[in-house]
Amino acid sequence: MELIAKTFQGLEEVLAEEITELGANDIEIGRRMVSFSGDKRMLYRANFCLRTAVRVLVPIRHFQARSADDVYDAVSHIEWSDYLSLDTTFSVDSVVYSQEFRHSKFVAYKVKDAIVDYFRRTTGQRPNIRLSDPDIRLNIHIADENCTLSLDSSGESLHLRGYRRQSVAAPINEVLAAGILRLAGWKGQCDLIDPFCGSGTILIEAALMARGIAPGLFRKAYGFERWKDFDADLLEEIYNDDSAERPFLHSIRGYDLNQPAVEIALDNVRQAGCQDCVSVERRDFRQFQQPATPCLMVTNPPYGDRLLPPDLLALYKTIGENLKRRFVGGEAWIISHRAECFEQIGLRPSVKIALYNGALDCELRKYQIFEGKMDAFRAGGGNLKTNEDYRRNAERKKLRPRRDEARPARRSDEDYRYDEGDFADEETAARFRALRSRHHEFSHLLSLRDNRRPGRERDDNRRKSGDSGGKRENRRRGGRTGGPRRD
């Protein structure tokens, strides 16, 4: 059967890698999705094993529509008795990217009407619609005029693993955490540290991946368990298959400044059964110490949106200083939302990967930490970027115009700024940052003077008539006018 796995933008490639590892066929990468084919076993395994999928859909029909009536007509001709009965409840979710359909909920209503009218026409009765916990979930996806109506085999989103009983104010999504770990190349080959662990999601996902434990082990139910052709024995066989599990010989350590967050993380770690390899302590990042052996750091520090530290920029400056001084030989992957936060880190990233954390347009950056200056590092044969890093950076530049399409077109000085990674060494990059800061301050003062100074029109008229205009023009050129000069 045809299958579609949905994911977050930026994780399509790692999801395709996961699906390939499952042995699926006909794999094609799309936007926020990967299509593939397989049998019922593949459908169950995809739900049970995929870490970077949000849900798995089974398309019922592809069709084209230019209006809501076209959608109604196409849906009403499906033999719904093959999928539903009068005893089952259903709901319809809709995703619309089209100029023809302005309201996604209206599309969902037309699909519901078509299904209800089908049963009224064939049985004289109508099925039940339930928005919360329905027996059958349907999904209608419209891109321009192309429509796909699918059965949702997952039920609740697959990011709801089942091990997280409590959460902090701004938790990272489990699917995003697993995707970041895969992007970082995590396979349990060394120790892992998260110095801003929050509720422990990255720690737990890392432990499950290192041990080969499927994320579906903690799930209570899937949507396909309510389908007419559900095979309970097949699901039980998949559930009890532990052939992919393996020992983990290293440690995973998490730290957080907030003691309630530490307690929540410890509870979640216990729920996931990872307490033997995952430790969580209360510790300020300013007290970070050099690990005994090189290790991997993957972290999601505060962005300043939902969690606002007393001095956000100072926090990121501390991150950069501690990485340079106390994480020599390590590799750090940091996801954040604000460009000015990354600037405060002050280190050159090897790779930048565009991701979305909820509605926030974020970047995941990789930092390879070495001792000494960049010139000496390179002279000794060091290289910040691997072949994979070069490929990812090239892919990022290729995708950048497509990402901009989803945002309002606007031009600012950010569109014309240099990247700190374009400079040969940190000293040059630091001088550039200082000059850029002075330029921004000077531009801001000019803007205030031009926009708020009273009597601009009168000054212009006086300049035309020659009254005191010479002094004003002389001042702009840097000449003396008898008063103090302002640079």
Side-chain angles (χ1 to χ4, degrees):
M1 69 184 81
E2 179 188 0
L3 302 172
I4 295 175
K6 305 286 288 185
T7 189
F8 299 139
Q9 187 167 328
L11 296 183
E12 297 93 342
E13 188 173 319
V14 292
L15 174 58
E17 292 173 357
E18 278 199 280
I19 295 173
T20 301
E21 292 168 3
L22 286 183
N25 300 315
D26 306 316
I27 299 172
E28 293 185 11
I29 298 176
R31 189 173 185 180
R32 299 193 182 101
M33 55 81 72
V34 178
S35 64
F36 58 106
S37 63
D39 54 12
K40 186 180 294 186
R41 176 182 291 273
M42 178 59 65
L43 172 65
Y44 290 7
R45 291 185 67 213
N47 277 282
F48 190 77
C49 299
L50 292 179
R51 304 180 192 276
T52 58
V54 177
R55 58 184 69 251
V56 180
L57 306 177
V58 181
I60 297 174
R61 176 166 296 183
H62 300 280
F63 59 93
Q64 290 192 328
R66 295 184 177 180
S67 67
D69 291 337
D70 291 343
V71 173
Y72 176 91
D73 184 64
V75 175
S76 63
H77 284 84
I78 297 174
E79 291 295 330
W80 286 107
S81 57
D82 294 340
Y83 308 100
L84 303 172
S85 69
L86 293 174
D87 297 327
T88 57
T89 59
F90 76 97
S91 68
V92 181
D93 297 323
S94 55
V95 179
V96 177
Y97 302 98
S98 174
Q99 296 295 325
E100 303 294 335
F101 302 91
R102 300 285 184 173
H103 202 296
S104 60
K105 287 188 177 180
F106 180 67
V107 174
Y109 292 149
K110 297 301 288 186
V111 173
K112 292 176 184 177
D113 289 345
I115 297 173
V116 169
D117 291 345
Y118 168 88
F119 279 98
R120 280 176 172 168
R121 187 172 62 251
T122 56
T123 67
Q125 302 181 59
R126 59 169 291 160
N128 296 316
I129 299 172
R130 182 189 297 170
L131 297 179
S132 62
D133 194 30
D135 296 323
I136 304 294
R137 294 176 186 260
L138 299 168
N139 178 276
I140 177 74
H141 183 280
I142 300 180
D144 296 326
E145 298 177 1
N146 301 312
C147 307
T148 302
L149 183 63
S150 306
L151 289 168
D152 184 346
S153 69
S154 302
E156 287 190 322
S157 172
L158 293 176
H159 86 274
L160 299 172
R161 311 288 204 221
Y163 61 71
R164 191 162 70 179
R165 295 198 308 182
Q166 302 181 70
S167 181
V168 294
I172 190 170
N173 184 288
E174 290 89 334
V175 166
L176 180 59
I180 291 172
L181 287 163
R182 284 193 68 100
L183 288 169
W186 171 248
K187 296 180 180 178
Q189 72 280 17
C190 62
D191 290 357
L192 183 139
I193 295 176
D194 180 2
F196 301 92
C197 69
S199 58
T201 305
I202 291 177
L203 306 176
I204 296 171
E205 291 294 323
L208 298 180
M209 292 174 67
R211 287 182 163 177
I213 298 175
L217 189 69
F218 309 95
R219 290 267 298 199
K220 293 183 178 180
Y222 295 96
F224 61 76
E225 293 185 57
R226 300 181 180 182
W227 292 4
K228 288 185 175 183
D229 62 347
F230 170 56
D231 189 336
D233 293 335
L234 177 58
L235 179 60
E236 187 72 13
E237 178 185 338
I238 293 172
Y239 181 88
N240 291 321
D241 182 9
D242 59 358
S243 59
E245 296 184 16
R246 54 187 178 270
F248 176 54
L249 305 178
H250 300 277
S251 65
I252 298 172
R253 302 188 295 277
Y255 308 104
D256 203 283
L257 181 60
N258 189 337
Q259 182 60 35
V262 171
E263 295 173 358
I264 289 173
L266 287 171
D267 182 60
N268 292 334
V269 168
R270 285 190 291 267
Q271 289 297 314
C274 303
Q275 62 270 29
D276 59 333
C277 65
V278 177
S279 62
V280 185
E281 300 177 16
R282 182 180 182 276
R283 182 180 297 181
D284 192 326
F285 190 72
R286 290 173 293 187
Q287 301 171 350
F288 185 80
Q289 298 297 322
Q290 174 74 40
T293 58
C295 64
L296 181 68
M297 179 185 294
V298 180
T299 191
N300 175 44
Y303 304 163
D305 288 273
R306 289 180 289 179
L307 290 179
L308 185 60
D311 192 337
L312 184 68
L313 297 183
L315 171 63
Y316 278 82
K317 185 176 182 180
T318 301
I319 291 174
E321 291 173 348
N322 278 345
L323 288 179
K324 186 64 177 176
R325 297 172 183 173
R326 303 171 182 173
F327 200 60
V328 177
E331 184 178 295
W333 291 75
I334 300 174
I335 181 172
S336 188
H337 168 52
R338 301 178 185 274
E340 57 266 31
C341 293
F342 280 122
E343 290 176 1
Q344 291 298 316
I345 291 178
L347 302 176
R348 181 184 302 182
S350 304
V351 67
K352 303 175 184 178
I353 301 174
L355 294 174
Y356 278 92
N357 188 354
L360 297 179
D361 191 354
C362 298
E363 270 192 351
L364 174 67
R365 296 192 179 186
K366 170 189 173 183
Y367 298 93
Q368 183 177 333
I369 312 302
F370 56 89
E371 189 173 7
K373 298 288 187 179
M374 173 68 75
D375 293 342
F377 175 72
R378 285 179 168 172
N383 190 353
L384 286 181
K385 298 179 182 179
T386 64
N387 292 334
E388 179 66 11
D389 294 338
Y390 283 113
R391 186 193 66 80
R392 284 172 172 168
N393 285 333
E395 187 70 16
R396 174 179 178 270
K397 292 179 180 179
K398 184 172 67 174
L399 293 177
R400 189 180 300 162
R402 189 181 73 179
R403 289 169 55 79
D404 292 341
E405 290 175 2
R407 295 179 296 201
R410 71 178 190 271
R411 309 284 294 187
S412 68
D413 58 348
E414 285 295 312
D415 294 314
Y416 305 100
R417 71 181 179 88
Y418 285 95
D419 193 323
E420 293 173 27
D422 296 331
F423 297 99
D425 53 63
E426 174 56 26
E427 183 178 352
T428 306
R431 288 202 302 268
F432 169 74
R433 287 196 298 270
L435 288 172
R436 182 174 60 190
S437 177
R438 290 180 60 187
H439 167 72
H440 287 174
E441 291 175 2
F442 183 66
S443 299
H444 180 63
L445 291 173
L446 286 178
S447 177
L448 290 177
R449 186 198 66 183
D450 292 340
N451 294 328
R452 299 180 183 177
R453 188 179 63 186
R456 286 184 65 186
E457 294 182 2
R458 184 167 62 251
D459 288 343
D460 291 340
N461 292 332
R462 293 173 64 185
R463 224 179 357 257
K464 290 178 182 178
S465 64
D467 184 10
S468 72
K471 291 183 180 180
R472 201 165 280 108
E473 290 297 322
N474 192 28
R475 187 179 297 121
R476 283 202 183 92
R477 298 190 184 100
R480 299 289 292 175
T481 61
R485 179 178 177 179
R486 294 182 62 185
D487 292 328

